[in-house]
């Protein structure tokens, strides 16, 4: 089925649901074409899978890059199904998954992560084996040293190729780093890509670090991240322990490989009330630059006086200045015997707001994320409690 409004088109298919996120437009300010974006729901079941629904998993596509938000058991099966989908926007390429955001560490949201990382690794290995340059280097291909303490050679000089494929950026609450290391190292699993794990530390986590030996957790349990001292995996580069802003939310560090998404979107997170630390993620696109009104400039650029001036400074066609101004550069022309600066801001239509996507983890209270979520085009909010009958609220 299809449902549409000005900004969103929803296509529902079995076993996944896909949401196209259309750019906002204004009649007097058509934006420069932004990166295409969509969301595919890989699983929406609560706690355990059902015959028709997998546990939690979402795939956000921006341009050619995919971000997985939550990765319950069976996520890689859903990715495989999507890869052969008849709906183009749901065809997930594991080799283009370069961000994985985990909302919290309950199993139905993260037990599929080690398997998904292996799936991504297989896709990267296949891409490398088919690349002519990589074939020449195949004999010297890197061996994965899984013994404790080996892996410093994987430190970030970043093998990124500019489109974000070089490193998989993994983000989640404190403890995610230990969970991934234990799963990969104890199973002697190597992956053919580098990854970085950034943990979102609460103010309590930061304070706890300052008091060694204090492992008190908010629900009176000893947080396992304080128990395991696990060495770094050989494919892992040093991650960041991200401290919260003054309002308790987090600004997620940029992807270490950069890329078009990193230059046009920013990512935030905010804490949610749950039985363990849980967060929601907010994807925020930068405003779309307006269009340059060339009709206001052509006459001034094509005068004989300015043509002669531009040729003297190495510009053969004065209309080349339009391209520079569209990119935001101030240019100079000769007009009335004087050198005049033309600022793009004086000839641009109004910018349009970027898109905003919000995906929450499990929670009974999401109010702390409300400020970041204001004005969102899409909000994905769990609804487990909607199925609770009267009298069952205590459970």
């Amino acid at each position: 089925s299809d449902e549409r409004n000005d900004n969103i088109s929803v296509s529902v298919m079995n076993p996944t649901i896909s949401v196209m996120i259309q750019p906002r437009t204004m009649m007097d300010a058509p934006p420069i074409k932004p990166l295409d974006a969509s969301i595919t729901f890989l699983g929406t079941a609560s706690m355990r899978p059902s015959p028709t629904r997998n546990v939690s998993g979402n795939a956000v596509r921006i341009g050619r890059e995919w971000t997985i938000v939550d990765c319950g058991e069976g996520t890689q099966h859903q990715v495989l199904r999507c890869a052969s989908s008849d709906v183009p926007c749901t065809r997930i390429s594991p080799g283009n998954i370069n961000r994985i955001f985990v909302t919290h560490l309950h199993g139905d949201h993260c037990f599929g992560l080690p398997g998904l990382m292996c799936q991504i690794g297989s896709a990267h290995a296949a891409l490398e084996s088919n690349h002519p340059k990589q074939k020449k280097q195949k004999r010297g291909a890197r061996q994965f040293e899984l013994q404790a303490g080996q892996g410093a050679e994987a430190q970030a000089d970043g093998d990124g190729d500019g489109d974000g494929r070089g490193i998989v950026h993994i983000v989640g609450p404190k403890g995610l780093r230990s969970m991934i290391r234990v799963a990969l190292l104890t199973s002697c699993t190597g992956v053919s890509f580098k990854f970085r794990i950034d943990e979102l530390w609460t103010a309590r986590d930061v304070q706890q670090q300052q008091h060694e030996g204090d492992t008190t957790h908010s629900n009176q349990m000893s947080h396992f991240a304080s128990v395991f001292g696990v060495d770094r995996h050989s494919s892992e580069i040093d991650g960041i322990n991200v401290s919260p802003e003054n309002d308790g939310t987090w600004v997620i560090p940029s992807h270490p490989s950069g890329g078009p998404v990193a230059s046009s979107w920013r990512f935030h997170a905010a804490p949610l009330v749950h039985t363990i630390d849980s967060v929601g993620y907010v994807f925020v696109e930068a405003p779309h630059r307006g269009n340059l009104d060339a009709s206001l400039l052509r006459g001034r650029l094509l005068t004989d006086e300015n043509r002669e001036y531009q040729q003297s400074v190495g510009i053969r066609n004065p209309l080349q200045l339009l391209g520079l101004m569209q990119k935001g550069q101030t240019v100079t022309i000769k007009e009335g015997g004087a050198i005049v600066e033309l600022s793009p801001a004086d000839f641009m239509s109004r910018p349009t707001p970027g898109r905003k996507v919000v995906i929450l983890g499990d929670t009974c209270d999401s109010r702390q994320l409300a400020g970041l979520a204001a004005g969102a085009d899409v909000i994905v909010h769990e609804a487990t409690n909607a199925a609770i009958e009267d009298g069952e609220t205590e459970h």
Side-chain angles (χ1 to χ4, degrees):
S1 65
D2 289 326
E3 302 175 10
R4 296 180 182 273
N5 66 21
D6 290 341
N7 296 325
I8 307 165
S9 65
V10 182
S11 299
V12 181
M13 56 176 289
N14 190 21
T16 60
I17 303 171
S18 177
V19 180
M20 287 294 296
I21 310 162
Q22 306 292 355
R24 304 179 186 187
T25 59
M26 301 173 71
M27 292 300 292
D28 60 341
I32 295 173
K33 186 176 168 109
L35 295 171
D36 192 23
S38 66
I39 304 175
T40 299
F41 294 88
L42 303 175
T44 58
S46 174
M47 297 178 65
R48 59 185 65 88
S50 74
T52 58
R53 292 192 296 163
N54 201 55
V55 289
S56 296
N58 309 276
V60 180
R61 179 181 59 84
I62 304 175
R64 293 179 56 206
E65 301 180 23
W66 287 91
T67 299
I68 302 297
V69 182
D70 279 341
C71 188
E73 183 181 359
T75 294
Q76 65 172 312
H77 293 135
Q78 297 292 74
V79 169
L80 286 172
R81 291 188 179 100
C82 288
S84 58
S85 169
D86 294 331
V87 181
C89 68
T90 67
R91 292 175 191 157
I92 303 174
S93 170
N96 285 336
I97 296 173
N98 63 352
R99 291 178 183 83
I100 301 173
F101 294 167
V102 176
T103 63
H104 65 290
L105 297 181
H106 278 157
D108 57 326
H109 292 255
C110 66
F111 279 176
L113 184 50
L116 179 65
M117 292 179 70
C118 291
Q119 186 182 43
I120 295 170
S122 296
H124 277 260
L127 286 171
E128 290 175 358
S129 66
N130 292 327
H131 194 287
K133 183 178 178 181
Q134 294 294 336
K135 284 183 178 179
K136 288 183 180 179
Q137 299 175 351
K138 194 170 182 181
R139 276 190 252 177
R142 179 176 169 208
Q143 299 297 315
F144 295 98
E145 302 291 342
L146 297 175
Q147 289 81 7
Q150 296 187 6
E153 74 281 359
Q155 190 52 37
D157 53 35
D159 281 348
D161 55 7
D163 63 0
R165 289 186 186 175
I167 299 173
V168 175
H169 188 198
I170 305 174
V171 180
K174 183 180 178 183
L176 179 62
R177 195 176 289 130
S178 290
M179 190 206 82
I180 293 174
R181 288 176 178 178
V182 168
L184 296 182
L185 291 171
T186 56
S187 61
C188 296
T189 299
V191 292
S192 57
F193 60 90
K194 293 181 182 180
F195 61 88
R196 189 180 89 189
I197 306 169
D198 292 347
E199 292 188 338
L200 305 175
W201 283 31
T202 65
R204 182 194 66 242
D205 292 328
V206 175
Q207 185 178 23
Q208 181 176 307
Q209 186 190 38
Q210 297 170 353
H211 296 80
E212 289 187 4
D214 180 4
T215 57
T216 303
H217 193 42
S218 58
N219 60 3
Q220 304 305 311
M221 295 175 61
S222 179
H223 196 297
F224 72 83
S226 300
V227 176
F228 298 139
V230 189
D231 291 300
R232 189 173 63 200
H233 188 274
S234 62
S235 294
E236 180 184 352
I237 65 176
D238 276 348
I240 300 171
N241 299 327
V242 186
S243 296
E245 303 293 301
N246 292 334
D247 61 358
T249 65
W250 296 272
V251 177
I252 296 174
S254 295
H255 192 285
S257 291
V261 174
S263 64
S264 57
W265 289 73
R266 294 293 179 267
F267 303 94
H268 303 260
L272 306 173
V273 177
H274 192 43
T275 54
I276 63 172
D277 290 342
S278 181
V279 303
Y281 292 99
V282 182
F283 298 56
V284 183
E285 185 183 29
H288 304 148
R289 194 171 58 236
N291 281 341
L292 191 71
D293 189 344
S295 65
L296 299 176
L297 291 163
R298 285 180 181 273
R300 300 175 68 179
L301 295 179
L302 295 176
T303 64
D304 292 339
E305 178 186 30
N306 187 55
R307 284 179 184 274
E308 184 178 347
Y309 169 72
Q310 298 302 331
Q311 289 178 2
S312 72
V313 295
I315 297 176
R316 304 177 77 180
N317 184 352
L319 294 181
Q320 291 177 246
L321 300 179
L322 294 175
L324 298 177
M325 294 182 72
Q326 183 66 66
K327 295 176 181 178
Q329 296 183 33
T330 296
V331 300
T332 58
I333 66 170
K334 192 168 185 179
E335 192 172 53
I339 303 301
V340 179
E341 285 192 348
L342 299 181
S343 171
D346 297 330
F347 304 94
M348 300 283 273
S349 57
R350 286 188 296 156
T352 57
R355 292 160 289 181
K356 182 183 288 189
V357 178
V358 181
I359 302 179
L360 289 80
D362 289 354
T363 182
C364 62
D365 184 349
S366 57
R367 283 177 288 184
Q368 197 161 350
L369 184 135
L372 285 175
D377 294 277
V378 179
I379 297 180
V380 181
H381 196 302
E382 64 108 325
T384 306
N385 290 344
I388 294 179
E389 301 291 338
D390 292 341
E392 293 183 339
T393 53
E394 290 186 6
H395 175 72

